[in-house]
Amino acid sequence: MPRFSRWQLFIGLAAIGCVVGIVSLTLSHFIPAPPSRVVMATAFKGASFEYYGRQYREIFARSNIVLELRETAGAVENVRLLQDAKSDVQIAFVTGGVSNGKSAPGLLSLGTVYNQPFWIFYSSAEPLERLSQLKGKRIAVGPEGSATRLSGEKILSKGGVNFQTATLLPFAGLDAVRALSENKVDVVWIIGSPDATAVKSFLENPNVRLLGFPLAEAYTRIYPDLVRLVLPKGVLDIDKVIPPEDVPLIGTTTKVLVRSDLHPEIVQLLLQAMVETHSGPETFQRSGEFPNGADAEYPVAQTAADFYRSGPSFMQRHLPLWLSVHVQRAIAVLVTGIAIGLPLIHYFPALYKWNARRRLLYWYSQLKALEASFDTSPGDRHLAEMQAAIEQIEDEVSRVRLPLTFTDQLYNLRSHIDIVRRKVTTRAHAPIRMAAE
């Protein structure tokens, strides 16, 4: 076994430490750990965005990631927050028709998650059948910056309902529920799934009526971002047959948008949360219909497209989030090691032979220098020093450990040491022979 000095061991350990440090810093840069906290923009209290955001938060908590829900005015403000570099919002619910990839560059879609109907609730004893009958009413259409208000103004205007013909008020969500019960408004325009807190409270209130959209198909032709939906007869209460007949509605798609720099592991976790939350059957969808990668307004992230095409990866299915990052780093180290190691294997034998040969050449150089000094200064005192030096060289060479393939070269070196020793010895005994003669 070759012996190493303490200095050589120190240099080797220092080099290994430097390599490990560089590799660690490199991996931390190219494969960073996911953040422990991310912010998602939802909407106001009682909205479906807020309802589903709470479900996402519970799923994130299982992976020890804090999903902070940011209450906002709705989809319009959500897009603005995602585009704001100073905002820490990285995820948001957004409805169709609010914006698109051209007007909001840098945002990516993870797909649509559900259809969101528009509801018109009122408490009048007189049944309403047309939008034009809402003229002169006090209508809650949501706050400025919300998709609720944006869509409300756009669609109601087709029935001649606008700021000049009606009073449009900024109530939304649970505030709109209270406003209708306290007679502060006559009509509520609201967006949300039937399970959203505010919508559910209206549907379960026997004193509140629902205005349908008999011309729903026409609205979808006028506004391509809208979809036609049907609230089936008896779906809310089969025993009491609520609603008493099919109610045609219009709605829009809901999507999840993210910033393009969102950590890939958070994206994967978010996709899994979307599947867990939205893949089941609902009032307006069948099982497996959502989420999906269909989004005509925003570019779909490649990670999401791969997810919908092939499903979650092996690591995503079987490893917790914190461990998958370390596994990715280990794989990166292994691949890098193979990429660097394979070429080195080709040169390793030559490098190994060179290293062994270098150790022999060192002693050859010492021996040659000793012989050269002997030829230039052959004095008696110098001869004694050379004899001692030769013995020291031979002693050091005897301690050299080399593979068997280099044994012949080692013996050659020892033979050459012996030649120099005889030369020195012969020179040392020459004066004695001359004196005897």
Side-chain angles (χ1 to χ4, degrees), residues 182-357:
E182 295 172 2
N183 198 32
K184 293 180 180 179
V185 297
D186 305 307
V187 180
V188 173
W189 168 274
I190 192 171
I191 306 176
S193 70
D195 293 322
T197 307
V199 175
K200 190 175 182 180
S201 65
F202 284 128
L203 292 173
E204 293 177 348
N205 189 336
N207 298 319
V208 174
R209 295 173 179 267
L210 173 62
L211 174 61
F213 285 83
L215 301 178
E217 189 65 33
Y219 278 99
T220 62
R221 302 299 176 88
I222 298 171
Y223 301 111
D225 57 288
L226 300 182
V227 292
R228 182 180 184 275
L229 302 171
V230 176
L231 185 66
K233 177 181 179 180
V235 71
L236 301 178
D237 192 321
I238 292 181
D239 183 44
K240 298 179 181 178
V241 193
I242 302 176
E245 56 186 12
D246 288 353
V247 180
L249 299 172
I250 56 175
T252 186
T253 56
T254 298
K255 60 199 71 182
V256 175
L257 298 185
V258 299
R259 289 185 181 178
S260 57
D261 60 351
L262 182 62
H263 193 284
E265 293 300 323
I266 299 298
V267 172
Q268 293 289 349
L269 180 59
L270 186 56
L271 286 166
Q272 294 179 48
M274 291 162 58
V275 170
E276 183 174 338
T277 304
H278 304 289
S279 61
E282 299 288 348
T283 303
F284 298 104
Q285 69 187 55
R286 297 186 182 278
S287 180
E289 186 177 352
F290 293 101
N292 60 62
D295 193 333
E297 295 178 320
Y298 291 89
V300 177
Q302 186 59 49
T303 304
D306 295 339
F307 182 88
Y308 292 124
R309 181 172 56 252
S310 307
S313 66
F314 175 84
M315 287 194 296
Q316 293 158 9
R317 290 194 303 267
H318 301 285
L319 297 179
L321 181 65
W322 67 270
L323 182 58
S324 65
V325 175
H326 295 290
V327 172
Q328 290 179 53
R329 290 178 175 179
I331 292 174
V333 171
L334 179 62
V335 171
T336 304
I338 293 174
I340 297 175
L342 285 178
L344 288 180
I345 290 175
H346 177 73
Y347 296 102
F348 182 76
L351 181 65
Y352 183 71
K353 290 180 181 179
W354 174 85
N355 185 55
R357 181 70 177 164

Side-chain angles (χ1 to χ4, degrees), residues 7-19:
W7 175 249
Q8 289 175 320
L9 290 174
F10 174 77
I11 294 296
L13 292 175
I16 293 173
C18 290
V19 171

Side-chain angles (χ1 to χ4, degrees), residues 61-128:
R62 297 204 297 259
S63 296
N64 298 316
I65 303 294
V66 176
L67 180 63
E68 180 182 322
L69 303 181
R70 183 69 52 81
E71 184 176 338
T72 68
V76 175
E77 183 180 359
N78 291 356
V79 173
R80 181 180 61 77
L81 289 173
L82 282 174
Q83 291 183 281
D84 186 359
K86 298 180 180 179
S87 167
D88 55 357
V89 172
Q90 296 174 287
I91 310 168
F93 285 118
V94 177
T95 55
V98 170
S99 184
N100 55 54
K102 291 183 179 179
S103 59
L107 303 186
L108 297 176
S109 172
L110 298 190
T112 56
V113 287
Y114 62 93
N115 287 326
Q116 191 163 217
F118 301 127
W119 309 86
I120 299 178
F121 294 107
Y122 62 96
S123 58
S124 172
E126 177 187 355
L128 302 179

Side-chain angles (χ1 to χ4, degrees), residues 363 386-399:
W363 292 114
M386 282 200 217
Q387 287 177 327
I390 290 173
E391 296 302 324
Q392 183 179 1
I393 290 176
E394 185 174 37
D395 182 63
E396 293 292 340
V397 170
S398 67
R399 294 192 179 96

